Amino acid sequence: MLHNYLSLLKRVCVIVFHSENEANLAELGQRWLRNHFQPTEVGALPSNSSSYFGIPVNYPQGSTARVFTELSPDVPAEVRDAIVLSSCYIAPLIVLGDQGWSRLSPHTFWVRRVTRLPDETETLKTLLLTINAEAQWFPMAREAYHVIQDYLHGELQPDALDILVEKRRIQITQEAERLFGAIPKTENGYPFLFVADPLRLIVPWMQKMKRSLLAELPWDEFVSAGLGFAVGMVIAPENLRRFLKQEHPDRRHHAVPRSHQQRTRYR
């Protein structure tokens, strides 16, 4: 399990999330992804394991899965997997369609709504920004892991977890506004970009449980991989159809994936 994770960590650039109720849309999305990525660069979540394009991704260790599953029982499994595994693989989410977004949206803390849907060139350029943002913000996972360890050992009060969550929200909101500031926004536009924090999924239950019970969970080093952020992009159905109508064979693999050095220097 660990060997497979480490191998895929070097290759996976993006992770795809879609609703199983939108099979036709998922097929369109995978056709579009095929034009810009190799199959081994696209992660397929456990809930989307039937995808014909991409490579299945899963948790680094069974211990990682257990911690996040037991501490977020009220979060749908496919949503938890998407948010946590985006952090684990330092790879942004590509959300295909509106139903997928409606599942994820309650668990996001920053959203960029746009005045108009971007064209394909703008979409690909922004996707590269999300790849860089995911990696740039990943080191904050280590800080979160150490705060949790201090909490488990009784060195911090429960409100320390709330303070940490709020600190992360403020910092990433400011950085996201700066990084994506060139993209025109509106309050009522289409949700083009978003950020979710895996820590927000587990803190409420951590505060409810006795620390002695929390300490029994397998808090190994690989749990920290899931404490980064999930940066995501939503591809509207009409955009997918438009992109595919405009596709040309010589535009395949237009997106530029991260190098091995870029992926691993953040860990």
Side-chain angles (χ1 to χ4, degrees), residues 110 133 136-137 140 169-181:
W110 179 86
Q136 179 182 331
W137 300 336
M140 295 177 67
R169 184 193 68 80
I170 292 172
Q171 180 174 340
I172 297 304
T173 295
Q174 291 174 343
E175 294 189 14
E177 288 292 337
R178 175 187 53 80
L179 183 62
F180 301 108

Side-chain angles (χ1 to χ4, degrees), residues 213-232:
L213 294 177
L214 280 175
E216 293 178 2
L217 292 175
W219 293 97
D220 59 35
E221 289 287 316
F222 288 98
V223 172
S224 68
L227 295 173
F229 294 90
V231 186

Side-chain angles (χ1 to χ4, degrees), residues 20-73:
E20 289 297 304
N21 297 326
E22 295 182 303
N24 291 338
L25 185 60
E27 183 175 346
L28 291 178
Q30 291 173 78
R31 279 177 53 196
W32 179 70
L33 288 166
R34 186 185 293 273
N35 289 340
H36 304 289
F37 293 94
Q38 299 288 347
T40 54
E41 295 172 339
V42 178
L45 292 164
S47 60
N48 300 147
S49 58
S50 60
S51 299
Y52 66 85
F53 182 75
I55 188 165
V57 295
N58 217 317
Y59 290 86
Q61 295 269 55
S63 55
T64 316
R66 182 184 167 192
V67 167
F68 283 97
T69 300
E70 293 196 16
L71 293 179
S72 58

Side-chain angles (χ1 to χ4, degrees), residues 101 111-117 184-192:
W101 165 246
V111 181
R112 188 74 163 193
R113 296 180 178 274
V114 294
T115 55
R116 65 170 180 80
L117 292 178
K185 64 178 179 178
T186 179
E187 290 186 5
N188 300 315
Y190 193 82
F192 180 42

